[in-house]
Amino acid sequence: MTIYLNGQFMPIEDAKISVLDRGFIFGDGVYEVIPVYTRKAFRLAEHLRRLRHSLDGIRLVNPHGDSEWAGIINELIARNPGEDQYLYLHITRGVAKRDHAFPNPPVAPTIFMMSSPLSAPPAELLQSGVCAVTAQDNRWLRCDIKAIALLPNVLLRQMAVDAGCAETILIRAESKSEGAFMTEGAASNIFVVKDDKLLAPPKDNLMLPGITYDVILEIAAAHGIQYEVRRIAAAEIFAADELLLTSSTKEVLAITQLDGKPVGTGKPGAMFARLHQLYQDFKRDVMRAS
Ligand code: PDD
């Protein structure tokens, strides 16, 4: 596997970073996960826009313009095997003596990128759907930043794995102004289907604005699927006809069991079937056109 580190391509075994890297010491950095189909990065402009948003959010200067990023990304794709890949892009505030405050003067950021094989979810998973558990969303208030500091997400996702499930759906506890509501998954976005309508939580500071989430809403708009973007009360996920999970690596999956109880009929529903097919068509059309 060939990776990219600070301006150079090399075998992953040769890649070395300092133990003083602020990513290692503080989790002080941001990342992106970009799917690649038929050797072309999918929705690259959108991923690079979100990367800029994350960098702005942690006050780190973007080390490259979009065309430079595209050059590095295309070279990494070319140097790795497989038509379909997913890229992991990671930028930290660099190497400096340990101090919480930013290095002054600033140091060069650490820029790391690797490629892994990407395979579509297996047919059995599409047919059966996956199970999920719920847990309290105990993360910070800037979940819109794709931060490499993922300890809460790691612990929350492990709760699903411990229960033999695929994902943990996160619920923000009720506050003085609002009742409990659903934000997203530990590593995915979540949609609710009720009475043939798709419900999506708003892209605010409490969830990661998913690139797949945007594609799903674009598809819904283009095909006359009714949808509404609004806060989703916790009770609504337990009364859903269908629950859907989306991410760049999992595309769209049906959640058919929640906390051990069936969601709707307990089988992937009509909205899932439709969106899954439309997503495949969308992908194919975009890749053909690019
Ligand atoms: N995670 N929300 C969270 C917390 C995520 O970690 C992800 C994706 C998403 C979906 O975003 P997108 O559609 O842009 O992939 C939502 C990636 C895949 C990961 O960390 O591996």
Side-chain angles (χ1 to χ4, degrees):
M1 189 209 277
T2 299
I3 64 100
Y4 172 90
L5 182 62
N6 298 331
Q8 286 181 312
F9 293 92
M10 62 188 82
I12 192 161
E13 299 76 26
D14 295 349
K16 302 274 183 294
I17 59 156
S18 165
V19 291
L20 286 179
D21 192 279
R22 291 178 61 95
F24 183 61
I25 297 282
F26 294 118
D28 183 3
V30 297
Y31 77 107
E32 270 300 319
V33 173
I34 308 170
V36 172
Y37 302 110
T38 58
R39 296 200 166 271
K40 285 174 220 144
F42 181 65
R43 295 236 135 181
L44 183 57
E46 288 80 358
H47 279 281
L48 292 177
R49 191 180 315 135
R50 186 172 66 185
L51 178 66
R52 287 199 297 276
H53 174 81
S54 295
L55 287 166
D56 288 347
I58 70 161
R59 298 166 60 189
L60 188 54
V61 174
N62 194 342
H64 296 298
D66 281 8
S67 59
E68 281 171 0
W69 279 123
I72 301 168
I73 284 169
N74 289 331
E75 172 121 27
L76 187 70
I77 295 170
R79 284 173 183 253
N80 279 282
E83 289 294 289
D84 295 352
Q85 308 175 14
Y86 72 90
L87 306 181
Y88 174 81
L89 190 172
H90 169 125
I91 308 170
T92 79
R93 208 180 305 276
V95 177
K97 182 173 157 294
R98 185 180 180 278
D99 180 347
H100 288 62
F102 299 170
N104 189 14
V107 296
T110 300
I111 307 169
F112 167 58
M113 224 185 287
M114 66 178 167
S115 161
S116 306
L118 177 63
S119 36
E124 309 91 76
L125 224 56
L126 299 176
Q127 270 152 30
S128 63
V130 297
C131 73
V133 296
T134 55
Q136 188 172 329
D137 191 342
N138 55 8
R139 300 173 302 163
W140 67 335
L141 299 176
R142 288 305 308 272
C143 297
D144 55 312
I145 297 173
K146 204 160 170 59
I148 61 169
L150 284 172
L151 188 54
N153 303 64
V154 165
L155 294 172
L156 289 162
R157 176 79 212 298
Q158 187 59 35
M159 290 170 68
V161 173
D162 291 345
C165 284
E167 185 56 301
T168 304
I169 299 183
L170 309 180
I171 313 267
R172 280 271 170 196
E174 65 185 356
S175 62
K176 273 189 196 141
S177 56
E178 260 182 304
F181 59 91
M182 189 270 288
T183 53
E184 61 179 336
S188 62
N189 290 116
I190 304 290
F191 293 83
V192 167
V193 180
K194 188 69 184 176
D195 299 330
D196 299 322
K197 193 192 250 186
L198 191 61
L199 305 176
K203 288 199 287 183
D204 58 13
N205 60 312
L206 300 179
M207 71 169 232
L208 185 79
I211 306 299
T212 324
Y213 166 105
D214 280 343
V215 172
I216 290 293
L217 291 187
E218 258 178 65
I219 290 175
H223 292 85
I225 294 171
Q226 269 196 68
Y227 72 90
E228 205 177 321
V229 177
R230 62 162 173 82
R231 275 262 190 272
I232 296 171
E236 291 182 278
I237 63 170
F238 297 103
D241 296 333
E242 296 180 47
L243 288 176
L244 307 178
L245 162 171
T246 66
S247 85
S248 291
T249 46
K250 299 205 163 121
E251 302 187 340
V252 192
L253 288 176
I255 296 171
T256 45
Q257 225 191 65
L258 186 63
D259 291 341
K261 297 192 190 76
V263 176
T265 63
K267 295 208 169 64
M271 184 70 87
F272 165 73
R274 186 147 186 229
L275 285 174
H276 179 261
Q277 186 53 50
L278 289 170
Y279 191 81
Q280 301 308 313
D281 298 346
F282 183 94
K283 242 169 60 179
R284 193 197 52 225
D285 293 347
V286 169
M287 296 340 277
R288 264 198 204 136
S290 65

